[in-house]
Amino acid sequence: MNDITYYGKTADPLVIVEKNFFDKNELDGIWQELNFLTYKHKLYPPNKTNSATDSKGKPLKSNKGLFITGLYADPYISNILTIYNNKINWDYIDFLIQYNPLFRHLRASNKQSTLLSYYEGGDYYKPHHDLSAMTLLSYFFEEPKQFTGGNIIFNDFDLEIEIQNNMIVIFPSCYQHEVQEIKMEGKSFDKKGRYCISQFISYE
């Protein structure tokens, strides 16, 4: 037998949810780029956006996406990358560390990638975990909302979070999570669906 003393509580997930994260000017800049990128010829299927896969190598998600990191020769051309780098700064990370010291991963990391995902009717992401240290998810959609579903579920803790426009969710990437299936009416790429900007924070 292993002589282990565990002081944690598996029922207490380390998840930060902040509503109304970006101000109006930041939101305007983000939406300018979202509108520019939301076209069929610009977004890729799951097998080209590093999707988690099942035992047979089939992607666990149905959506369209694009890694913004590396898209531009100069990352400061991107509204999204510039706004995120300015917003999630050392002061904000120190603020998060007050809740839990594990958020020091954000300060110690030296690598990040940013993925734009767009979900429409029938899209989903089955239970999976990310291959990074910390994951930051931000949600955007036109209001009034034109779809149902799309909430994030943390399977390890039986926790469901109803997404809101301009919300950020931050958690350790090892947590298993999923996206509920989206249900909506409308044609493809009408920009009425669910946007998620994912930042994966890791180490070289």
Side-chain angles (χ1 to χ4, degrees):
M1 296 290 292
N2 296 319
D3 185 9
I4 295 174
T5 302
Y6 180 61
Y7 295 99
K9 295 181 179 179
T10 56
D12 292 339
L14 170 59
V15 179
I16 289 284
V17 176
E18 184 170 351
K19 301 175 183 178
N20 301 312
F21 186 67
F22 297 100
D23 65 29
K24 183 180 183 306
N25 289 334
E26 292 165 339
L27 276 175
D28 288 345
I30 290 170
W31 272 108
Q32 286 176 14
E33 192 162 358
L34 292 179
N35 286 324
F36 171 71
L37 292 173
T38 312
Y39 289 92
K40 190 172 183 179
H41 68 284
K42 295 182 179 181
L43 299 180
Y44 295 107
N47 63 340
K48 293 189 177 180
T49 55
N50 290 353
S51 171
T53 58
D54 63 18
S55 59
K56 297 181 180 179
K58 181 180 178 181
L60 292 175
K61 67 180 179 180
S62 170
N63 65 11
K64 298 293 188 298
L66 176 70
F67 275 99
I68 302 175
T69 312
L71 181 62
Y72 304 94
D74 181 352
Y76 288 100
I77 292 175
S78 167
N79 291 348
I80 291 173
L81 295 180
T82 300
I83 290 168
Y84 271 70
N85 287 338
N86 290 336
K87 191 79 171 183
I88 304 171
N89 53 31
W90 281 26
D91 288 340
Y92 186 70
I93 293 172
D94 285 341
F95 167 74
L96 295 179
I97 291 171
Q98 297 179 63
Y99 288 92
N100 194 295
L102 283 178
F103 285 115
R104 291 195 178 101
H105 281 299
L106 293 171
R107 181 180 286 278
S109 65
N110 58 5
K111 181 181 179 181
Q112 69 179 39
S113 59
T114 303
L115 173 66
L116 166 63
S117 299
Y118 179 65
Y119 292 77
E120 292 190 318
D123 286 343
Y124 58 84
Y125 205 148
K126 295 180 180 179
H128 67 286
H129 66 274
D130 303 323
L131 299 179
S132 52
M134 302 292 293
T135 297
L136 295 78
L137 304 178
S138 301
Y139 303 106
F140 307 94
F141 50 82
E142 290 192 10
E143 295 184 295
K145 187 167 68 170
Q146 302 294 308
F147 61 87
T148 58
N151 291 338
I152 182 170
I153 298 173
F154 290 93
N155 311 99
D156 296 316
F157 308 99
D158 193 25
L159 171 65
E160 178 179 337
I161 295 176
E162 181 179 358
I163 65 165
Q164 296 186 22
N165 189 26
N166 192 19
M167 168 191 283
I168 191 169
V169 180
I170 306 172
F171 57 92
S173 304
C174 62
Y175 285 0
Q176 184 165 273
H177 54 286
E178 68 176 292
V179 177
Q180 286 180 328
E181 182 178 344
I182 297 285
K183 297 181 180 180
M184 66 181 297
E185 297 180 359
K187 59 183 180 180
S188 296
F189 292 93
D190 63 2
K191 305 181 183 181
K192 304 294 185 183
R194 171 194 188 271
Y195 291 90
C196 179
I197 296 176
S198 306
Q199 281 201 315
F200 306 107
I201 311 298
S202 57
Y203 304 94
E204 293 283 7

